[in-house]
Amino acid sequence: MANEASSSTSLTVDEEDEILMLYGSESGWVDPLSHCDHLTSLSSDLIHIPTPDTPCNRCQHPAENWLCLCCKEVLCSRFVNKHMLDHYKQNNHSIALSFSDLSVWCFSCNAYLDAQAIMPLQSVHFTAYVLKFNEPPPLRAADCIEITDNRAEGSTSGN
């Protein structure tokens, strides 16, 4: 009996899928990682990507699709036919971008990545956002820098 309890502490991928389906984004705030050891597998050209309305390359499902950031193949999510998850398992391509919400997921880390904070992901996030919304993404508060004009404060420089 003790062996059964200790072996049930780690979840299988299917059990993780069930938990995600039950709780998903409604479970609360997700804090994405600002670093990932799997970024070395990224495609060298992430500026030229398929449009967000591209169907799954395997089943042609029109929605809930992900872009593999290693080979740029578009495949459906674990909530449709799990083709992106299968792709990860078969090819060890860890990082994918969701065309639904433009989030980036690392299958190896089992975590979301902050695509706006991680330099190698910034271009693909920017490109996907423009393709999806026909405008550049808004600046995040952390990206905004307050610029002060010294003359407006009554000081002069160089005098």
Side-chain angles (χ1 to χ4, degrees):
M1 187 80 163
N3 287 345
E4 288 179 32
S6 64
S7 66
S8 66
T9 56
S10 64
L11 298 175
T12 66
V13 172
D14 290 335
E15 290 169 325
E16 287 179 18
D17 286 347
E18 286 182 35
I19 290 169
L20 284 172
M21 286 169 60
L22 286 174
Y23 299 104
S25 62
E26 295 175 352
S27 66
W29 178 258
V30 175
D31 197 18
L33 301 178
S34 59
H35 174 75
C36 172
D37 291 333
H38 306 98
L39 297 172
T40 57
S41 65
L42 292 175
S43 168
S44 61
D45 178 20
L46 289 176
I47 293 176
H48 301 97
I49 61 171
T51 59
D53 60 351
T54 303
C56 175
N57 289 348
R58 295 199 186 141
C59 68
Q60 301 305 309
H61 195 276
E64 286 292 322
N65 292 317
W66 289 73
L67 171 67
C68 175
L69 297 183
C70 303
C71 69
K72 301 197 293 189
E73 188 168 2
V74 176
L75 299 162
C76 63
S77 79
R78 63 179 82 212
F79 302 114
V80 179
N81 291 315
K82 300 183 182 187
H83 288 136
M84 185 56 76
L85 181 61
D86 292 342
H87 180 74
Y88 158 67
K89 290 176 184 177
Q90 292 167 0
N91 300 295
N92 201 31
H93 288 180
S94 299
I95 304 174
L97 176 133
S98 166
F99 277 143
S100 296
D101 63 4
L102 303 182
S103 61
V104 176
W105 179 259
C106 177
F107 288 95
S108 295
C109 293
N110 200 29
Y112 286 102
L113 304 179
D114 189 339
Q116 292 177 314
I118 299 172
M119 184 69 71
L121 297 175
Q122 289 175 352
S123 64
V124 72
H125 180 268
F126 182 89
T127 301
Y129 194 98
V130 170
L131 288 171
K132 186 169 179 130
F133 299 111
N134 292 319
E135 63 184 24
L139 290 177
R140 297 188 315 180
D143 298 331
C144 297
I145 299 171
E146 184 176 324
I147 300 172
T148 305
D149 184 322
N150 288 337
R151 287 174 287 165
E153 294 176 358
S155 66
T156 59
S157 59
N159 290 342

